[in-house]
Amino acid sequence: MEDVPRAIVLIGPTGTGKTTVGDALAGEVGARFVDADDAHTPASVAKMRRGEPLTEADRAPWLDRVRARCLEALAAGKTVVVTCSALRQAYRERLAQSDPRFVFVYLDAPREVLARRLSERKGHFAGPELLSSQLATFERPHDALIVDGRLSVSAQVESIRAALRL
């Protein structure tokens, strides 16, 4: 892995495989792993369980908590792999705040793949009911590495590693 620590943020709507790919990537490159889902408040989790999308007021402090976790790792000299929907460009800007150590990777998968994955997923608070609102909110990134989310987990990890020279 490169000597300069980075925050590698895997983004995309629910069902893209961010957690699975991010955990595998972090394991392979010896990076810290942060799942932004763990930074949600109990109230936000309850909302999403009911199929209600989060509001801007819900998201802003959540994004700040995720950024703080990234900065902790970076301050310790560690690369961190973060999984965070970061659906809008403004959310990605809030996370990075022009810090060049933040790198975004969009796991791109079509709606039908996301819907299938969500229908098969058990026990997660973000279910199929949220897919439409997440896709409606999502702004395709113009400044991210784009990886085909239909590939196998190992192929996605290898694609990210090659592109980011990890």
Side-chain angles (χ1 to χ4, degrees):
M1 186 162 56
E2 201 174 282
D3 291 340
V4 178
R6 291 184 277 182
I8 302 166
V9 187
L10 278 58
I11 66 168
T14 188
T16 57
K18 297 180 297 289
T19 300
T20 303
V21 174
D23 189 43
L25 176 63
E28 280 200 24
V29 301
R32 287 190 186 171
F33 177 70
V34 171
D35 188 337
D37 285 347
D38 297 335
H40 282 298
T41 64
S44 289
V45 170
K47 240 182 172 175
M48 290 183 282
R49 277 195 199 288
R50 293 190 303 268
E52 298 173 29
L54 298 180
T55 65
E56 296 302 312
D58 298 321
R59 286 189 178 107
W62 168 65
L63 291 166
D64 292 343
R65 287 188 298 275
V66 173
R67 176 174 168 74
R69 291 180 185 182
C70 292
L71 293 177
E72 286 171 16
L74 293 170
K78 302 286 185 185
T79 287
V80 60
V81 174
V82 184
T83 59
C84 181
S85 55
L87 298 172
R88 294 186 188 275
Q89 182 64 30
Y91 305 161
R92 297 185 286 273
E93 290 171 3
R94 186 175 190 121
L95 284 171
Q97 296 184 21
S98 300
D99 187 332
R101 297 174 297 175
F102 281 72
V103 178
F104 293 94
V105 178
Y106 168 40
L107 304 182
D108 186 12
R111 178 187 194 100
E112 52 276 4
V113 170
L114 301 177
R116 177 183 49 77
R117 288 177 181 168
L118 290 173
S119 71
E120 296 169 353
R121 183 158 77 177
K122 304 291 182 236
H124 195 278
F125 58 81
E129 316 72 43
L130 289 175
L131 183 58
S132 290
S133 68
Q134 289 225 331
L135 290 173
T137 302
F138 186 66
E139 294 172 358
R140 191 172 177 86
H142 57 80
D143 57 352
L145 168 64
I146 298 176
V147 174
D148 187 343
R150 297 169 296 181
L151 298 173
S152 69
V153 171
S154 61
Q156 289 180 70
V157 167
E158 184 51 42
S159 180
I160 295 166
R161 289 188 70 180
L164 299 181
R165 297 183 178 165
L166 298 172

